[in-house]
Amino acid sequence: MNIPDLPPDLSFPKLGTSPEDQEFAFEVKRAAIGPYIILRWGWDDNFQRDVHDSRYREKPFYMVRRGEKRLGTLSFQVLAGHIQFGEFYLFPIFQREGTGAKILAHCLKLADSLALSVRLEHLHWNPVRSLYKRHGFVDVGGSDIHCFMERPVAVKRPATDG
């Protein structure tokens, strides 16, 4: 599946299997979530690369691009009965300016058009939680490390006369 462009200038080209694409995705992860991983465990580059490589092989990754600028990555995977959203990382310079909220809303609109709920997970201590809560995600479980959240399909109400 392709993620449609978000006018006026955001696009989501699918990342491939090239070493350059995989390295770009890893560098975005390191920049965006590295500080939160370091808080808990420090940064073990070999371990993080192994985790990243495994995830990169098992799901589709998309670049987030504004014009020619590479802002980050996301994964949007249509599964039986829901969308799995994740690997949503923006370089810190592009965070906290509303871009993440626009991208998330765009992906949720796409999920709604497919009549599918959206599931994701995040580190308990990652402040991204507030973004997800603002967009209708609720807690559905967790582990010692991750919070599992889901956002149900938005119900479209018929227009009323009158």
Side-chain angles (χ1 to χ4, degrees):
M1 150 169 254
N2 291 320
I3 300 173
D5 290 351
L6 178 56
D9 58 358
L10 290 172
S11 62
F12 308 92
K14 190 169 184 183
L15 290 170
T17 58
S18 74
E20 294 81 15
D21 281 355
Q22 195 164 350
E23 184 63 21
F24 167 73
F26 181 73
E27 290 304 321
V28 174
K29 173 187 174 177
R30 183 194 334 241
I33 200 169
Y36 303 107
I37 291 171
I38 290 168
L39 279 175
R40 190 71 171 273
W41 303 287
W43 184 268
D44 178 334
D45 204 62
N46 290 330
F47 176 78
Q48 291 301 327
R49 280 186 185 279
D50 287 346
V51 169
H52 173 74
D53 290 350
S54 174
R55 290 187 179 149
Y56 197 85
R57 284 190 301 273
E58 63 191 31
K59 54 187 154 183
F61 274 65
Y62 299 84
M63 180 186 300
V64 176
R65 196 168 65 195
R66 179 182 291 135
E68 294 304 311
K69 286 185 183 174
R70 301 182 313 168
L71 310 184
T73 63
L74 66 87
S75 178
F76 188 91
Q77 188 174 25
V78 179
L79 300 172
H82 72 280
I83 303 286
Q84 188 67 41
F85 182 81
E87 313 304 327
F88 186 32
Y89 305 126
L90 296 177
F91 284 114
I93 193 169
F94 303 114
Q95 295 175 7
R96 305 203 186 293
E97 61 179 28
T99 302
K102 288 178 192 172
I103 293 165
L104 181 59
H106 180 63
C107 290
L108 293 175
K109 185 177 176 184
L110 180 55
D112 289 343
S113 75
L114 299 171
L116 294 171
S117 64
V118 179
R119 296 179 187 168
L120 58 79
E121 63 184 69
H122 65 82
L123 296 172
H124 281 292
W125 57 95
N126 187 333
V128 74
R129 175 181 184 75
S130 63
L131 172 67
Y132 296 141
K133 295 286 277 183
R134 285 193 312 270
H135 283 84
F137 283 86
V138 295
D139 293 320
V140 294
S143 68
D144 290 344
I145 300 169
H146 292 101
C147 223
F148 304 128
M149 300 183 85
E150 184 169 9
R151 188 252 193 192
V153 177
V155 177
K156 292 186 181 186
R157 298 202 165 96
T160 59
D161 294 331

